Each structure stands twice: as C-alpha cells, then as structure tokens.
Amino acid sequence: MTGYVPGRLELLLSSPLKRRGTRLLAGLVYRAASTRASVGWAWRTGRAPRLALPRDRDRFFVGRGPGCDCLLPDDTVSRRHALLLRRRGAWTVEDLGSLNGTLLNGWPVVIPTEVRAGDVLTFGGVSYRVSP
C-alpha cells in the first residue's frame, strides 16, 4: 500500500510563496468589498432628513401609532417602534420590540444606547440624522 502523494495543485497552494499571495489577494478583496459597503451606507445615510430632539420633554416615542410623538407613516415602522429618553442631559434610544428593528449608525440597537448629534437613526426602513 502506498501513501497519499499530493497533486501538483496542492503542492503549489501549500508553498509559502503561494500562501502569502493567496492571503494578500483575499485581504485585498475583503478591503475592496468593505470599502464599497461603507461608501454605499454613507451615501444612503448622508442624505437622511434631520431629526431634532425636543428640548421641552424627556421622553419621545417614535412609531406609526396614534400615541407616538414622532409619527412615521411607513409600513416598515411598528406602531410603537422606539423610545428616546433623556437621562442626565444625554439622549438614549431603545427599541421597543419592533419587527424591523432600530439601527444606530448601521448597528442594531439591542440595549438602550446613547445618541449624539450627527448619528443616524434608522427605524425600520426610515433613516434620520440626529441634529442638536
């Protein structure tokens, strides 16, 4: 019985020079793809309308239901989608179990998270840039 003898392709791929080249190529492809995704996200959110947070209240409901302070007539927004709270002078956003979720700068909001001027809040399919 003879042992396994690697094929020519396997020998080329296992050589140190080819592995470095493969790693380099994979890194370049990853960087190009992530840059494209970042530019696409920035392009979409750069044109987002402004959301001015109220100065006269500490609680602000966002949704498409009748009891919300900010009514968003979009089917991707839940009736009570999110809650913005002011605590010690800082605003936080909390998702209220919405179906399509709440994003802060492209990241899902899973716990109450601080919101700052210039951040992009997305409720379902509707995005806003927070203004001071």
Side-chain angles (χ1 to χ4, degrees):
M1 225 162 136
T2 60
Y4 174 73
V5 178
R8 182 180 169 120
L9 180 60
E10 290 170 310
L11 284 174
L12 288 173
L13 291 176
S14 66
S15 70
L17 180 62
K18 294 299 179 185
R19 277 189 281 159
R20 264 186 270 141
T22 303
R23 282 195 303 262
L24 177 65
L25 180 61
L28 290 173
V29 169
Y30 174 77
R31 285 189 199 105
S34 62
T35 300
R36 182 179 178 276
S38 297
V39 169
W41 182 82
W43 178 260
R44 286 189 309 277
T45 58
R47 298 171 171 232
R50 296 192 173 271
L51 174 66
L53 298 176
R55 296 175 190 250
D56 59 342
R57 57 176 79 158
D58 294 332
R59 191 171 71 175
F60 191 70
F61 285 99
V62 178
R64 61 180 171 87
C68 294
D69 302 304
C70 179
L71 288 171
L72 302 176
D74 189 277
D75 291 338
T76 62
V77 177
S78 298
R79 286 184 189 92
R80 275 202 147 180
H81 196 97
L83 173 64
L84 289 155
L85 283 174
R86 183 178 9 209
R87 295 182 185 145
R88 293 180 230 112
W91 284 94
T92 59
V93 64
E94 179 180 348
D95 185 74
L96 298 176
S98 62
L99 182 65
N100 292 313
T102 302
L103 304 177
L104 177 64
N105 298 325
W107 292 90
V109 175
V110 293
I111 60 171
T113 307
E114 187 174 341
V115 177
R116 298 183 179 141
D119 285 344
V120 175
L121 278 171
T122 304
F123 309 103
V126 182
S127 294
Y128 289 95
R129 183 172 297 280
V130 178
S131 64

